[in-house]
Amino acid sequence: MVSMQSTLIEVKTGSRETVHDLTPHCSAFLREVSGGGDGLLHVFVPHATAGVALIELGAGSDDDLLAALRDLLPADERWRHAHGARGHGRSHVMPALIAAYASVPVLGGEMALGTWQSVAMVDLNVDNPVRQVRLSFLAG
């Protein structure tokens, strides 16, 4: 029988646009629930204004991603969804570009990420400084 373990974590993103590293949370969760086995880790943000990306962090790519999103989705008055901070509507469009979820293979209890890949939450919504992330492990 296939079983799934799931938990909801809280992440403080602050009051500025951010790419927040979830990799340590994911690794800790897998140590707790995987039993060193294989399966699939699913990472989901239950928010209409955040996404999950597999990206290199700490070498400038996270800042480059935020800069690219600012170019693609400017924080100005063009957005019809217009409450909260200036340009808030762009935060509701972003998940069409960066999905609210990602799935990662798990081998031997560890994420089978590429050498420079990390799991990150992308959050442009400065009105919500605390986010939730659902981590689920489906054993193989």
Side-chain angles (χ1 to χ4, degrees), residues 1-132:
M1 176 181 216
V2 176
S3 67
M4 184 175 81
Q5 299 287 329
S6 188
T7 191
L8 195 62
I9 63 170
E10 187 175 274
V11 176
K12 293 182 179 155
T13 56
S15 59
R16 61 187 183 116
E17 299 171 351
T18 189
V19 177
H20 185 88
D21 190 3
L22 298 173
T23 310
H25 298 285
C26 295
S27 294
F29 173 68
L30 289 173
R31 279 192 301 277
E32 183 180 314
V33 302
S34 72
D38 298 346
L40 190 65
L41 172 69
H42 189 73
V43 182
F44 173 70
V45 290
H47 300 283
T49 58
V52 177
L54 301 179
I55 187 171
E56 179 180 6
L57 297 175
S61 298
D62 33 357
D63 292 331
D64 290 342
L65 175 57
L66 291 174
L69 289 171
R70 282 185 209 108
D71 289 345
L72 288 170
L73 305 169
D76 58 22
E77 304 306 323
R78 74 183 71 203
W79 308 100
R80 290 185 186 106
H81 187 108
H83 68 82
R86 183 171 187 258
H88 176 75
R90 76 191 189 118
S91 296
H92 286 275
V93 173
M94 189 205 65
L97 303 173
I98 299 174
Y101 61 90
S103 294
V104 179
V106 175
L107 301 173
E110 296 183 10
M111 290 178 285
L113 292 170
T115 302
W116 303 111
Q117 284 181 315
S118 294
V119 180
M121 178 174 52
V122 181
D123 188 3
L124 301 182
N125 186 351
V126 299
D127 295 325
N128 291 329
V130 178
R131 298 304 199 142
Q132 294 181 329

